[in-house]
Amino acid sequence: MGDVVNVPQTYGLGPIKVRAITSGEVEMVAPLTGSGYSVSGCSGGGGVSSGGGGGVVFRCGEGPAATINDVMNLKVVKILATAAVLRIDPAK
């Protein structure tokens, strides 16, 4: 927990910080760098809320990738006791 993942500025997010890992979800927070924000996916349980101050909080479980801002895929590959494996790549 507390790890930070830097993503390209074109994704519309600043660094993504892992806030919590549970048995079923990874909770992440990121500042917005663009003018809007959208997410679809987060199968296995998930949601998005405003983090205040121009940021967002999102929770994703293991499963298919979530598409963020129509330009980035974020997939929770595996959730372990105190760590998670994330895969981030451009949306296709």
Side-chain angles (χ1 to χ4, degrees):
M1 286 187 307
D3 286 343
V4 175
V5 179
N6 291 310
V7 296
Q9 194 171 29
T10 55
Y11 289 171
L13 296 175
I16 299 170
K17 181 177 181 181
V18 176
R19 289 203 326 190
I21 298 172
T22 66
S23 62
E25 288 184 329
V26 178
E27 180 178 296
M28 296 159 274
V29 61
L32 296 176
T33 60
S35 60
Y37 178 78
S38 68
V39 64
S40 63
C42 281
S43 290
V48 177
S49 63
S50 172
V56 292
V57 176
F58 47 103
R59 296 168 194 83
C60 297
E62 289 180 15
T67 301
I68 299 172
N69 292 338
D70 296 324
V71 295
M72 178 184 111
N73 289 330
L74 184 146
K75 178 180 174 117
V76 177
V77 177
K78 185 85 174 152
I79 299 175
L80 307 167
T82 59
V85 178
L86 306 177
R87 181 178 298 137
I88 297 173
D89 57 19
K92 298 182 180 8

